[in-house]
Amino acid sequence: MRKLVIIPTYNEKENISAMIDKVFSLSEPFELLVIDDGSPDGTASIVRERQKEFPSTLHLLERSGKLGLGTAYLTGFRWGLEHGFDYICEMDCDFSHNPDDLVRLYAAAVEGNDVVVGSRYVQGVNVVNWPMSRLLMSYFASVYVRMVTRMPLRDATAGFVCYSRRALETIDLDAVKMKGYGFQIEMKYSAWRLGLNLKEVSIIFTERQVGASKMSGGIFREAFFGVLGLPFRKIRKRQ
């Protein structure tokens, strides 16, 4: 089974090389696709240099400017499908998601789950080094999503996910509208409405040690108001 990890980057020069080393040291073999949105700090240059060591398993797509987290993942999903991957995972570059957990997410997917979510809230609250204000915002955002959509996930906003090829071929990726963190909710909701199997695997989320968070008020507002419209959307399979 071919497995791909997609990591969008913008100004992640402090993290990207260590992340490449970590992913390629895992007990399960993963290929890695970095999608860089024109990082002015030279993130893409570091990836290009590391490709000399991993010419067949480290891939890079460069885009001109910050085009949104959701569009980066959609680009990566399409690329992964075109290149024949069986499982495609998404994660952050800042080590807030522990790369070791990729193996656990993949194992749960192989058991027959189409969307496996690395969940902060399925077993209590597993978040380290967040200020209380951000923790409460994140936790109650997931509560809000459950109330509005009735989707049975404890961590609908999670960005650490493993998708089966079947899931990404079933979801109409062209119909996904939200571009920021709301994208994470919309993808899970579409999968659930289409009858795909969803599973949460408990992880510990640790706040980044270096670099800056990309969260903004605009991203939060898009997710908040976008969720209200989800129950009224017609969710169709990809044609």
Side-chain angles (χ1 to χ4, degrees):
M1 295 289 182
R2 295 186 66 203
K3 306 178 289 297
L4 179 69
V5 181
I6 301 171
I7 297 182
T9 56
Y10 184 78
N11 287 349
E12 292 287 357
K13 69 177 182 180
E14 298 99 336
N15 293 307
I16 187 60
S17 194
M19 177 59 73
I20 290 168
D21 288 334
K22 182 61 178 176
V23 169
F24 290 144
S25 74
L26 297 174
S27 58
E28 282 284 347
F30 289 85
E31 294 186 39
L32 178 58
L33 171 65
V34 177
I35 302 178
D36 187 73
D37 274 4
S39 296
D41 72 346
T43 299
S45 296
I46 295 171
V47 177
R48 285 195 297 273
E49 186 64 27
R50 298 302 307 273
Q51 283 183 305
K52 297 175 184 176
E53 300 173 58
F54 307 103
S56 62
T57 54
L58 177 58
H59 314 283
L60 173 66
L61 294 179
E62 296 184 71
R63 308 196 304 171
S64 56
K66 297 180 71 173
L67 302 177
L69 183 74
T71 66
Y73 279 130
L74 290 171
T75 297
F77 292 157
R78 294 186 180 102
W79 188 94
L81 292 175
E82 290 170 3
H83 287 79
F85 287 91
D86 302 292
Y87 294 92
I88 300 177
C89 303
E90 57 171 55
M91 67 181 296
D92 293 342
C93 188
D94 58 11
F95 286 90
S96 56
H97 301 140
N98 185 345
D100 289 330
D101 290 327
L102 284 166
V103 177
R104 298 171 58 232
L105 267 60
Y106 166 66
V110 171
E111 291 173 354
N113 298 293
D114 297 295
V115 181
V116 180
V117 179
S119 176
R120 298 163 289 187
Y121 307 127
V122 72
Q123 292 182 357
V125 177
N126 293 321
V127 177
V128 177
N129 292 338
W130 261 7
M132 185 58 68
S133 59
R134 187 173 178 189
L135 176 58
L136 290 173
M137 181 180 73
S138 173
Y139 180 81
F140 284 107
S142 285
V143 173
Y144 164 73
V145 171
R146 288 202 310 275
M147 290 176 60
V148 172
T149 66
R150 304 299 179 185
M151 182 168 51
L153 286 180
R154 305 291 297 182
D155 195 358
T157 64
F160 195 13
V161 187
C162 181
Y163 290 94
S164 69
R165 183 179 186 88
R166 184 173 88 111
L168 295 176
E169 288 181 333
T170 300
I171 297 169
D172 184 357
L173 300 179
D174 293 332
V176 176
K177 298 182 181 301
M178 287 189 266
K179 307 302 182 187
Y181 281 84
F183 161 85
Q184 304 291 4
I185 303 167
E186 187 174 356
M187 284 292 295
K188 298 177 187 70
Y189 181 76
S190 298
W192 176 61
R193 283 280 302 273
L194 292 170
L196 296 167
N197 298 321
L198 279 65
K199 181 181 177 63
E200 289 183 275
V201 171
S202 182
I203 65 161
I204 296 175
F205 180 98
T206 304
E207 176 64 327
R208 67 161 63 231
Q209 298 298 309
V210 293
S213 171
K214 312 303 189 295
M215 177 63 77
S216 69
I219 288 172
F220 182 77
R221 285 191 295 274
E222 181 208 47
F224 183 87
F225 291 108
V227 167
L228 290 173
L230 286 179
F232 304 99
R233 292 259 307 274
K234 291 183 179 180
I235 308 296
R236 296 189 176 93
K237 291 184 177 181
R238 180 182 176 187
Q239 300 298 315

